[in-house]
Amino acid sequence: MSVKYPVLEGAEPFYFEGNEIGILVSHGFTGSTQSMRPLGEAYANAGYTVCGPRLRGHGTHYEEMETTTYQDWIHSVEEGYRWLKERCSTIFVTGLSMGGTLTLYMAEKYPEIKGIIPINAAVEIPDMAAAASLEDVRFLDAIGSDIKNPEIKELAYEKTPVKSLGEITELMKKVKADLGKVTCPALIFVSKEDHVVPPSNSQEIYSGIKSAAKELVTLDNSYHVATLDNDQDIIIDRTLHFLQRALETSSLQG
């Protein structure tokens, strides 16, 4: 019988009801909603309806994560998307790390999405792919809390399941192969120094998507978990401008 782990304090999903514009906010691999909550709250304060789902197997215990697949993570994000669809006429998607990968997946699958904001998104991490093939090893050291600001800590797992590395590798392959399906406006954030996802991933995303309106913004003062780091305000401000611009363009075209 599988053990039922409680959700860690601070890792709960979050929902903010606002106007008819919805923002789906996704956290990353081995992380939790804590990494995206400040952004979610800022967008809610600006009047938007926000949903931050907890990806299955996350925010509890790494042994539970080990039992989940990338399809489970996709389903978690799609559940959040459905929640927003019931309340909103227009939806944007943003995410950190694997949350950024899932953001791209959503844009590939749902062309009605109005715009995306991937943050240090991953489409190819050779080190993870190599580690996924390790035999007789169940867990590796943590990859969480890659943050430049020494006073901030990410709520993330202290171990990484090797099986889960195989799952994220499959997800990245799938998303990378379909980048050309992304046509909505895109604001891509990339930390200049990142010890988890090579910054070249964001350049590859920028080059691979077919969006007419796309921008790549470099964050100079943050590591991987930029949403909790020194450039958090830049991400929030630039995103709010991006949303406004995308909505204005959309209404002019409409």
Side-chain angles (χ1 to χ4, degrees):
M1 197 178 85
S2 64
V3 180
K4 182 78 176 138
Y5 293 100
V7 176
L8 299 169
E9 188 179 339
E12 307 87 356
F14 54 82
Y15 306 90
F16 302 111
E17 300 222 25
N19 61 23
E20 274 199 14
I21 314 300
I23 307 177
L24 181 58
V25 176
S26 178
H27 69 80
F29 183 74
T30 74
S32 69
T33 55
Q34 176 251 8
S35 65
M36 297 301 284
R37 186 176 281 271
L39 274 60
E41 289 175 352
Y43 305 147
N45 289 339
Y48 297 108
T49 294
V50 180
C51 176
R54 177 180 67 86
L55 302 180
R56 284 182 201 169
H58 288 73
T60 55
H61 192 280
Y62 53 82
E63 285 189 354
E64 186 179 350
M65 182 180 180
E66 188 185 30
T67 68
T68 60
T69 64
Y70 77 84
Q71 288 96 339
D72 288 325
W73 308 333
I74 287 171
H75 291 157
S76 302
V77 172
E78 289 182 325
E79 280 167 14
Y81 184 63
R82 284 193 291 275
W83 184 88
L84 286 170
K85 289 274 280 188
E86 288 169 10
R87 293 161 175 79
C88 303
S89 57
T90 302
I91 296 174
F92 293 86
V93 188
T94 184
L96 168 70
S97 190
M98 183 177 78
T101 315
L102 290 165
T103 295
L104 292 162
Y105 173 85
M106 293 298 286
E108 291 169 0
K109 185 173 176 183
Y110 300 98
E112 66 271 22
I113 286 170
K114 275 288 188 284
I116 54 170
I117 307 99
I119 306 159
N120 290 328
V123 289
E124 186 170 17
I125 308 177
D127 287 353
M128 276 194 185
S133 62
L134 288 172
E135 292 181 11
D136 304 323
V137 182
R138 268 184 78 190
F139 302 107
L140 297 173
D141 289 339
I143 58 165
S145 223
D146 183 34
I147 297 174
K148 189 172 186 178
N149 184 337
E151 293 172 19
I152 305 290
K153 189 158 173 32
E154 182 189 13
L155 179 60
Y157 288 149
E158 62 270 26
K159 295 282 181 189
T160 305
V162 168
K163 180 182 173 296
S164 302
L165 292 172
E167 294 296 325
I168 187 177
T169 299
E170 287 306 308
L171 175 65
M172 289 190 289
K173 274 187 205 160
K174 186 179 179 65
V175 168
K176 184 181 175 183
D178 285 341
L179 283 176
K181 292 182 179 175
V182 178
T183 57
C184 64
L187 176 64
I188 302 163
F189 288 104
V190 58
S191 293
K192 189 168 69 177
E193 188 174 347
D194 185 326
H195 308 104
V196 179
V197 175
S200 57
N201 277 246
S202 291
Q203 182 60 56
E204 196 162 349
I205 292 162
Y206 179 83
S207 303
I209 62 175
K210 295 289 182 275
S211 309
K214 56 182 177 179
E215 188 179 1
L216 184 60
V217 176
T218 301
L219 302 170
D220 292 322
N221 202 23
S222 296
Y223 294 158
H224 183 62
V225 191
T227 52
L228 294 178
D229 215 335
N230 299 315
D231 295 312
Q232 183 187 86
D233 288 346
I234 293 173
I235 295 172
I236 291 168
D237 292 345
R238 294 292 289 263
T239 296
L240 290 171
H241 284 301
F242 169 79
L243 298 173
Q244 201 56 48
R245 202 162 59 238
L247 291 166
E248 284 167 5
T249 305
S250 176
S251 65
L252 286 172
Q253 290 170 344

